[in-house]
Amino acid sequence: EADIYQTPRYLVIGTGKKITLECSQTMGHDKMYWYQQDPGMELHLIHYSYGVNSTEKGDLSSESTVSRIRTEHFPLTLESARPSHTSQYLCASSLPGEETQYFGPGTRLLVL
Amino acid sequence: AQSVTQLDSQVPVFEEAPVELRCNYSSSVSVYLFWYVQYPNQGLQLLLKYLSGSTLVKGINGFEAEFNKSQTSFHLRKPSVHISDTAEYFCAVSGLYGGYNKLIFGAGTRLAVHP
């Protein structure tokens, strides 16, 4: 079982603020993912990475950006938060060639 | 286009009763199938997965699922549920789409176990 951590777990912030959601994993997984999940809805992939210095946009268009400078770290940044960004953000990771993704506990973001 | 359909958005059931959560998928490529569970205010936890081999897959917490290729289904079952099984359950399909491995989720089924 992968150890994958997300901070903060909950964040309430005002419109226009810059925020960074942290995601770290200790299993040395090369692949990492960010999903957005609205209440009662399915998960939508917004970003993924296959390794250091590799980042790609997912299926759902997002104003957020990501970086992958270290294998274990995959932060997500919103330069200017808006109420439409209110959602839950889930980070996941997996090994190359392995289909199973392991999820962190998620960050619930509320933008006022 | 690939998709996952969870036929029931909510399933109420009494404790110790059996339950089946239905999942159908559509895909033109070979797929791997997963069930994840999400407890309130938590991330997703893997329940079980089908990659190949036996079509009956056993997972954690007494859950099992059966892969049916002809019906493109992967229904989740448990013979006797507990209050602690109350959660959101997500079916997902993984495959190689557009050059990269992709996990597509269904909309989820909320299982509510009543005493």
Side-chain angles (χ1 to χ4, degrees):
Chain A
E1 186 175 329
D3 291 323
I4 182 163
Y5 309 98
Q6 290 185 244
T7 58
R9 291 293 313 279
Y10 304 93
L11 179 62
V12 181
I13 202 164
T15 296
K17 300 292 186 182
K18 177 180 178 179
I19 59 171
T20 297
L21 308 184
E22 303 288 348
C23 176
S24 298
Q25 49 93 8
T26 59
M27 299 301 290
H29 288 175
D30 286 326
K31 294 182 184 178
M32 296 189 74
Y33 313 82
W34 276 104
Y35 292 87
Q36 185 173 342
Q37 182 188 26
D38 291 327
M41 303 294 286
E42 64 265 46
L43 284 73
H44 292 286
L45 182 68
I46 52 175
H47 298 283
Y48 65 98
S49 167
Y50 277 173
V52 172
N53 295 326
S54 152
T55 62
E56 301 287 344
K57 290 191 177 294
D59 302 323
L60 183 67
S61 176
S62 173
E63 295 170 346
S64 59
T65 59
V66 292
S67 62
R68 191 86 183 277
I69 299 172
R70 302 197 315 265
T71 298
E72 63 272 20
H73 196 212
F74 191 39
L76 181 146
T77 298
L78 277 166
E79 290 293 332
S80 179
R82 295 209 301 261
S84 60
H85 296 139
T86 294
S87 189
Q88 175 163 242
Y89 294 84
L90 290 162
C91 182
S93 70
S94 67
L95 284 167
E98 184 174 312
E99 306 305 322
T100 305
Q101 294 184 19
Y102 299 93
F103 284 80
T107 294
R108 286 187 181 272
L109 173 65
L110 174 60
V111 184
L112 302 174
Chain B
Q2 304 78 27
S3 66
V4 176
T5 302
Q6 291 184 241
L7 297 159
D8 306 295
S9 60
Q10 296 186 61
V11 174
V13 64
F14 285 111
E15 193 174 20
E16 299 183 3
V19 71
E20 178 180 80
L21 306 184
R22 296 179 293 169
C23 173
N24 286 92
Y25 69 93
S26 67
S27 177
S28 59
V29 299
S30 296
V31 297
Y32 306 110
L33 295 155
F34 304 81
W35 275 99
Y36 284 87
V37 59
Q38 185 177 32
Y39 298 104
N41 300 318
Q42 294 187 27
L44 274 67
Q45 180 182 359
L46 181 67
L47 266 181
L48 49 78
K49 60 185 175 184
Y50 171 80
L51 303 181
S52 65
S54 172
T55 57
L56 183 63
V57 180
K58 294 190 182 296
I60 61 171
N61 301 339
F63 284 93
E64 63 180 33
E66 185 157 18
F67 170 58
N68 188 320
K69 188 174 182 179
S70 62
Q71 297 185 7
T72 60
S73 67
F74 191 54
H75 300 333
L76 181 71
R77 302 186 184 99
K78 186 170 182 177
S80 176
V81 295
H82 302 289
I83 295 287
S84 59
D85 292 323
T86 294
E88 189 92 18
Y89 291 79
F90 291 93
C91 181
V93 60
S94 173
L96 190 64
Y97 307 118
Y100 68 95
N101 282 326
K102 184 174 173 177
L103 199 61
I104 298 174
F105 288 87
T109 297
R110 185 174 301 275
L111 176 64
V113 182
H114 300 276

